[in-house]
Amino acid sequence: MVCLVPVLLGCSLIAAGQAPVTDSAAIEAKAHAMVSKLTLEQKIVLLGGVDSMYTQAIPSIALPRFKMSDGPLGVRTWGPTTAYAGGAALAATWDPALALKVGEGLGKDARARSVHFLLGPGVNIARSPLSGRNFEYLSEDPFLNAAMVVPYIEGVQSQGVVATVKHFAANNQEYSRHNTDSEVDERTLREIYLPAFEAAVTQAHVDAVMNSYNLLNGSHATQNEFLNLKVLKGEWGFQGILMSDWEATYDGVAAANNGLDFEMPSARFMNAQTLVAAVKNGSVKESTIDDKVLRLFRTALRYGFLDRPRFDPADSTYSVADRAVALEGARESLTLLKNEGHILPLDAAKVKTIAVIGPDAYPAVPGGGGSSESQAFEPVSILTGIANLAGPGVHVLYTRGLPDVNDVFHDTHWEGGIQAATFPSKDFTGTPETTTPGAIADWKPEMWGPEDKTPRSIRYTAAYKAAKAGKYLVLAAAAGEDAFTVQLDGKQLLAQPHAEGQIPQSTTIDLSAGQTIHLVADYLPHSPGVRFGLGIADEAGLVSDDARKYAAAADIVVLAVGFNPSTESEGFDRTFTLPWGQDALIEAVAAANPHTIVTLTAGGGADTRRWLNKVPALLHTFYPGQEGGTAVAEVLFGQRNPEGKLPVSFDRSWDENPSARFYYPIKGADTSLHVVENGKPPADYTIGHLKYEDGLMVGYRYWTTTGKHPLFPFGFGLSYTTFSFSKLSVPSTATSGATVAVSFDVTNTGSVAGAEVAQLYVSDPSAKAKRPERELKGFEKVRLAPGETKHVTLNLDARAFSYWDESAHKWTIDPGKFVIHVGDSSESTPLHAELTLN
C-alpha cells in the first residue's frame, strides 16, 4: 500500500534515526483528534512523569510512555555509555562542526537505548568559577554558547531524539538553587543569560526546554510568566514542550497558567487533585490543559514515536564510531596555558622514566558529578594514556601522592581522646548520651538521603598536639544536607550550613612544636546515622614519600590535579582553591623535579598562586570525556598540537572575579553583600536574593572594560606553532541593520601544523547606552599547515551591533562609529578597523 497521508493512516512517518518532520495540517488534525478522546482527568495525567524518567501512557488511545535520559555529556541513565567531552571542554574546542558530531553521537547513543528525550544540552552562563555545574555548561559568553549549542541540538534531533535545552534561566550557581532568587535586570538577561536559549529555540528549533530550580525576579522559573509566556512561547514562538527540572515545581495552578507543560519526575503539583478543581472553578482554563497535551502529541507525531518500535537492532549500544568522536572532542579541548622554555612537546627519545602523580592521574575523570555523570565503558586515565603511548621502552611510575579523606580522619591522633555527646534535640539541649570513639571518622561521600525524623545533634570535643612547627590541615566533612561547625579554642574555624549538597571543608593553621589546640565540632545530621569526619594533619606530611621519590627519579613528571565528581558537581558549588592537599603536593613534587607538567581538571579557573611560578607547564583538560587520557598523552608527546582556547576568563583569585561581591548575600540584609574567602558560603548565608549587580560585566567584558587583566584571558590558548593575522578588510560605512562582511588572513608562521581560532570582537564607543568595551560577535577555527595562509570572512548581522533598549523593549543599534577587533583572544587583537553605521 502507498501511504499518501501517513499520520492519519498510522503509517510510519519517519524511519529510525531520521530528523523530525515539520508540523503539518495532518499532524495538527491527528493531535487534536487524540486530545478529543481524552477526559479532563486523562489529560491532566499526561502533565506529569512516572517512574522518574518516563511520560505517562494512555492505553485507550494507544499512547505509549516515552523514555528520557540525563545528559548532556552522555546518555547516562541507562547504564554504560559513551562519555563525551564536558560542556566547558566542548566550548574550549571553539568548533561548531565538532558540536554537531557530538550531538549526532549522543542522538545515536540515546536511540540505541530506546530513549526519546535527551535532557541536554545545558547552556547557563559561567558567571562565576564556583558554580558546580559549569563543567556541564559551555562558556561565559552568550555568542559562543549559542554558536556551539545550535549544531549540538541539530545533531541530537537529526537522530530522531528530542533535545532538551536547560536550565531556563539565570541558574548560575548550585548552592541553594531551589530557594535563590536571581534578581537580574532585563537588559542583562537579554544580552547575557538568554541568547543561547533564544538560539536553541529560533535557530536550532529545539523541541524541549527545561525550567530551572531558582526564582527569577521574584517568581520560580516554572511559574514565571515573563520567561515562559512572554519570551519563550511568545516572542520566540516556541512550539515544543516546557518541562520542569526534577522537583522544581512549587505551585500547580501557577505553573499551569504560566507556561509549564510537563512536571518531572511526577505530578506532585500539576495533578488531578489540584487541576480538576482549578478547571471547574475557572482558575485554570481547560484550553490551557489542552495546549500542553497538544504539544506532547505534536512532538510525538513529528518524531514518529507512535508509528514504530523505539528499539532498532541496527543501533549500536557500544559504538566504536562514537568513541572516535569522543576522542576528537578530547583532543580539540585541551588548552595549553603555560609552556616555559618550550618544555612541551616532550622529546620521546630523551624520556626514559616518567612519573605520573596526583589524584586525577588514575582512575579517569571523564566528567563532574551529579545527573550528568556518565559511566563510560572504557575510560582512559592520564596514567594509562601516557603508558599506552610511551610504550614498553619508557618506565612509568605512579602514585596518588595524597591520602584519602577517611585516611586523614582515621590517622589523626587526638591528645587525651575524644568525647562525643549525642543530644536528643536539634539545638544541643537536653541530657546527652556520651561515648569516646577512637576517631571522628564516620564520613560517607553521600549526596542525598532521607530526612531523619528523630531529633539529634552531636558535639565532639577533642584536643590536638602538634609534633613540630609548621602548617597543619584541618579537614572536616559531612554528607547530604548535614550541617556542622568546627571551633578552634572558641573561635569558628570551619562551617557547613544546611544545604542540598556539600564537599569536605578545610583550612590550614600555623602551629608551633608542642602546641596543643582544642576543637569543638557541632554536627547536625539530616539523615539517619552519622556521616561526619574530622581530622588534622601536618600539611607537608600529607604528601607521600613515594611522590617525592618518584618525582626525583623521573626525567619528567606529569602531575594531574584538580577536581572530580565528588568535588565539582550538581547540587553544590565548588571551591576556587584546589581540593585539600593538592597545593602542597604540587610544591613538593616541583621541588623534587623542576621538569613538572601540571594538568588541571576543572570546569573553569582555579587558584594557582601557590605554585604556578614553580612549574614550567600547565595544561587545562577541563573534563575531557572518556578518551581524555589518550588525548593528554598525544599532546604531551607532540603527536597532537594543542588547540583548545579558554571559554572562560581564568582569574588569579576568587575575589578578583567580577561576580564575587554579588555571589552570596548575608543573613539579615537584603542588599548587603560579602566576598567570602575561597568562594565558600558563609555560615550565616541566607536563602534569598542574589542581586546580579555585576550586570553585563561578566568575564572578559569586565576585564576589557576596566583595563584590568585576569591571569589568562578568554579565548587564550598556546600552540606548538605560531600564527599571524593580516589584511583586515572592513567597509568604512554600512547601513544600520545590513549584514557587514569582515575578512582577513590567518597564517601559520611556525614549523608544524596547527589550528588557530580567529576571534572577532565588536566595540561600540559611540553608543548612547553604556556597553562593554568589546563583545565576541564572530569566530572561525582555522587549520593550517606550516606556512599556509587562509582568507577568512565573517558576516556580522544586525544583532552583532545591537544592545537591548529597556525603555523601548527591543534590540537597538545606535548609528555611529564601531570598532572591529580581530585576534586570538579577548586581549590579543592585533587587527582593528573602524566602521560607521548610518
Side-chain angles (χ1 to χ4, degrees):
M1 176 181 73
V2 176
C3 195
L4 300 177
V5 191
V7 173
L8 294 180
L9 297 181
C11 302
S12 180
L13 190 68
I14 56 175
Q18 289 185 343
V21 300
T22 57
D23 204 358
S24 66
I27 287 176
E28 195 68 15
K30 177 66 173 178
H32 279 273
M34 292 169 66
V35 171
S36 69
K37 297 176 182 178
L38 300 177
T39 65
L40 174 62
E41 289 78 4
Q42 286 177 312
K43 288 185 281 191
I44 292 172
V45 163
L46 288 173
L47 306 188
V50 65
D51 294 339
S52 183
M53 279 286 170
Y54 291 90
T55 66
Q56 294 274 3
I58 303 288
S60 64
I61 59 169
L63 180 74
R65 64 182 192 170
F66 304 130
K67 188 177 183 180
M68 301 184 183
S69 175
D70 280 321
L73 317 183
V75 186
R76 59 91 62 180
T77 305
W78 307 103
T81 188
T82 308
Y84 299 89
L90 185 60
T93 71
W94 291 63
D95 188 347
L98 176 62
L100 177 66
K101 292 180 184 178
V102 169
E104 290 171 341
L106 283 160
K108 294 172 187 175
D109 292 344
R111 212 174 60 231
R113 291 156 179 81
S114 300
V115 167
H116 302 84
F117 289 81
L118 180 71
L119 304 178
V123 297
N124 295 91
I125 291 291
R127 176 180 177 235
S128 160
L130 306 188
S131 180
R133 297 183 86 168
N134 279 350
F135 72 92
E136 281 187 59
Y137 302 145
L138 292 164
S139 82
E140 69 184 32
D141 183 74
F143 184 88
L144 178 56
N145 277 17
M148 297 299 287
V149 78
V150 168
Y152 178 111
I153 291 168
E154 290 174 339
V156 172
Q157 296 192 161
S158 73
Q159 303 305 306
V161 175
V162 177
T164 309
V165 68
K166 60 185 185 180
H167 300 90
F168 191 59
N171 179 192
N172 306 105
Q173 70 176 57
E174 282 300 287
Y175 188 84
S176 193
R177 57 185 177 168
H178 285 269
N179 307 292
T180 298
D181 185 2
S182 298
E183 297 187 0
V184 194
D185 66 85
E186 186 175 358
R187 183 180 173 198
T188 298
L189 273 174
R190 297 281 190 168
E191 294 189 24
I192 303 293
Y193 297 104
L194 295 185
F197 291 101
E198 182 181 4
V201 172
T202 62
Q203 297 178 39
H205 307 293
V206 72
D207 282 306
V209 175
M210 183 186 291
N211 272 141
S212 54
Y213 287 110
N214 57 287
L215 296 87
L216 175 65
N217 294 328
S219 177
H220 272 291
T222 48
Q223 57 199 59
N224 194 297
E225 180 183 11
F226 171 80
L227 270 185
N228 302 336
L229 295 182
K230 183 178 188 300
V231 176
L232 179 67
K233 294 184 175 181
E235 296 175 19
W236 299 348
F238 176 63
Q239 297 298 312
I241 300 162
L242 177 62
M243 71 174 73
S244 74
D245 205 338
W246 270 228
E247 309 292 351
T249 309
Y250 305 90
D251 183 311
V253 171
N257 281 332
N258 289 293
L260 188 69
D261 300 315
F262 198 69
E263 180 182 1
M264 288 299 290
S266 61
R268 290 180 60 208
F269 294 93
M270 289 207 313
N271 52 38
Q273 181 179 355
T274 299
L275 293 183
V276 168
V279 170
K280 289 182 178 179
N281 67 30
S283 56
V284 175
K285 296 178 180 178
E286 187 166 0
S287 60
T288 299
I289 306 297
D290 289 349
D291 176 71
K292 302 176 191 304
V293 178
L294 282 167
R295 289 171 180 269
L296 176 64
F297 288 173
R298 288 191 199 103
T299 302
L301 291 166
R302 289 181 52 241
Y303 279 79
F305 291 164
L306 307 183
D307 304 325
R308 54 182 167 79
R310 193 62 174 159
F311 172 72
D312 185 340
D315 295 330
S316 296
T317 308
Y318 178 87
S319 171
V320 175
D322 289 347
R323 183 162 195 170
V325 173
L327 177 57
E328 187 177 351
R331 285 169 169 165
E332 291 196 33
S333 68
L334 300 181
T335 305
L336 185 61
L337 299 178
K338 183 178 181 181
N339 191 20
E340 192 174 85
H342 300 288
I343 189 173
L344 294 175
L346 300 174
D347 186 343
K350 296 180 180 179
V351 177
K352 302 303 180 186
T353 302
I354 186 167
V356 184
I357 299 171
D360 285 354
Y362 180 86
V365 188
S371 62
S372 71
E373 186 179 352
S374 300
Q375 178 190 353
F377 285 101
E378 295 178 284
V380 183
S381 70
I382 292 175
L383 170 64
T384 52
I386 289 173
N388 290 341
L389 187 145
V394 175
H395 304 293
V396 179
L397 309 175
Y398 163 72
T399 178
R400 188 177 190 275
L402 291 171
D404 289 319
V405 175
N406 276 318
D407 292 335
V408 176
F409 298 152
H410 283 287
D411 294 345
T412 301
H413 174 71
W414 297 104
E415 190 77 7
I418 305 161
Q419 184 180 74
T422 302
F423 295 85
S425 65
K426 291 286 188 182
D427 58 0
F428 303 93
T429 59
T431 302
E433 179 182 322
T434 302
T435 59
T436 55
I440 308 174
D442 295 305
W443 178 71
K444 302 173 183 66
E446 300 170 346
M447 186 167 176
W448 292 291
E451 183 177 359
D452 188 356
K453 301 298 184 182
T454 303
R456 287 181 303 141
S457 51
I458 305 172
R459 175 168 290 155
Y460 299 90
T461 305
Y464 182 85
K465 184 176 181 180
K468 59 182 180 180
K471 284 191 177 295
Y472 282 77
L473 172 79
V474 182
L475 180 66
E481 298 181 46
D482 299 349
F484 66 82
T485 62
V486 177
Q487 291 190 337
L488 169 61
D489 294 333
K491 295 182 179 180
Q492 185 168 291
L493 187 65
L494 297 172
Q496 171 61 51
H498 176 265
E500 182 182 356
Q502 58 183 281
I503 54 177
Q505 301 289 324
S506 66
T507 191
T508 56
I509 56 175
D510 293 310
L511 298 178
S512 56
Q515 181 179 353
T516 300
I517 57 174
H518 297 85
L519 295 174
V520 176
D522 283 349
Y523 169 58
L524 288 171
H526 174 79
S527 297
V530 176
R531 305 182 295 178
F532 180 69
L534 176 65
I536 302 180
D538 169 29
E539 189 184 47
L542 289 170
V543 179
S544 70
D545 292 339
D546 282 348
R548 292 184 170 90
K549 180 171 61 178
Y550 293 174
D555 300 309
I556 289 289
V557 178
V558 177
L559 184 50
V561 299
F563 300 85
N564 61 32
S566 66
T567 53
E568 186 164 17
S569 171
E570 176 184 3
F572 54 84
D573 282 348
R574 71 162 169 91
T575 58
F576 188 68
T577 55
L578 294 178
W580 61 272
Q582 293 190 21
D583 286 336
L585 175 64
I586 299 170
E587 290 175 327
V589 169
N593 190 327
H595 306 297
T596 295
I597 300 156
V598 174
T599 67
L600 174 64
T601 301
D607 195 338
T608 64
R609 287 174 293 176
R610 276 183 61 173
W611 49 265
L612 185 59
N613 64 350
K614 300 173 183 177
V615 300
L618 173 60
L619 181 68
H620 203 321
T621 67
F622 300 95
Y623 287 90
Q626 66 181 40
E627 306 297 326
T630 298
V632 167
E634 290 175 342
V635 165
L636 293 180
F637 282 93
Q639 292 191 5
R640 293 282 304 193
N641 196 341
E643 58 186 77
K645 299 285 186 176
L646 284 176
V648 293
S649 302
F650 196 117
D651 307 312
R652 286 181 181 80
S653 64
W654 154 244
D655 58 5
E656 288 185 355
N657 183 275
S659 72
R661 292 187 299 121
F662 314 111
Y663 201 69
Y664 292 116
I666 293 298
K667 185 177 181 179
D670 289 336
T671 59
S672 175
L673 301 161
H674 183 58
V675 178
V676 289
E677 181 184 0
N678 191 29
K680 297 176 185 175
D684 59 351
Y685 175 86
T686 181
I687 292 171
H689 305 281
L690 282 180
K691 295 181 180 295
Y692 281 47
E693 293 187 10
D694 42 336
L696 303 174
M697 297 298 133
V698 175
Y700 74 87
R701 285 169 167 78
Y702 165 82
W703 293 108
T704 56
T705 302
T706 61
K708 300 177 182 179
H709 305 281
L711 180 60
F712 301 110
F714 173 81
F716 173 79
L718 298 173
S719 172
Y720 296 154
T721 189
T722 54
F723 300 92
S724 68
F725 295 83
S726 62
K727 300 182 180 178
L728 176 63
S729 176
V730 180
S732 58
T733 61
T735 302
S736 180
T739 298
V740 175
V742 175
S743 63
F744 50 89
D745 286 352
V746 184
T747 301
N748 183 343
T749 55
S751 58
V752 296
E756 178 62 289
V757 177
Q759 302 164 40
L760 187 157
Y761 298 84
V762 175
S763 298
D764 185 4
S766 62
K768 297 175 184 177
K770 184 178 179 180
R771 301 191 67 178
E773 190 276 334
R774 63 184 57 190
E775 296 179 287
L776 180 74
K777 297 300 178 181
F779 67 88
E780 184 170 324
K781 193 162 198 173
V782 183
R783 298 189 182 280
L784 298 169
E788 183 182 2
T789 296
K790 182 174 181 180
H791 189 67
V792 176
T793 299
L794 298 174
N795 293 313
L796 302 178
D797 61 11
R799 191 71 168 264
F801 302 99
S802 302
Y803 65 90
W804 182 262
D805 186 331
E806 286 195 277
S807 59
H809 301 290
K810 66 177 183 178
W811 291 99
T812 298
I813 299 174
D814 288 338
K817 184 177 75 172
F818 291 80
V819 182
I820 307 299
H821 310 267
V822 173
D824 58 8
S825 81
S826 59
E827 295 192 356
S828 175
T829 50
L831 304 184
H832 54 87
E834 293 184 1
L835 160 70
T836 298
L837 291 185
N838 300 318

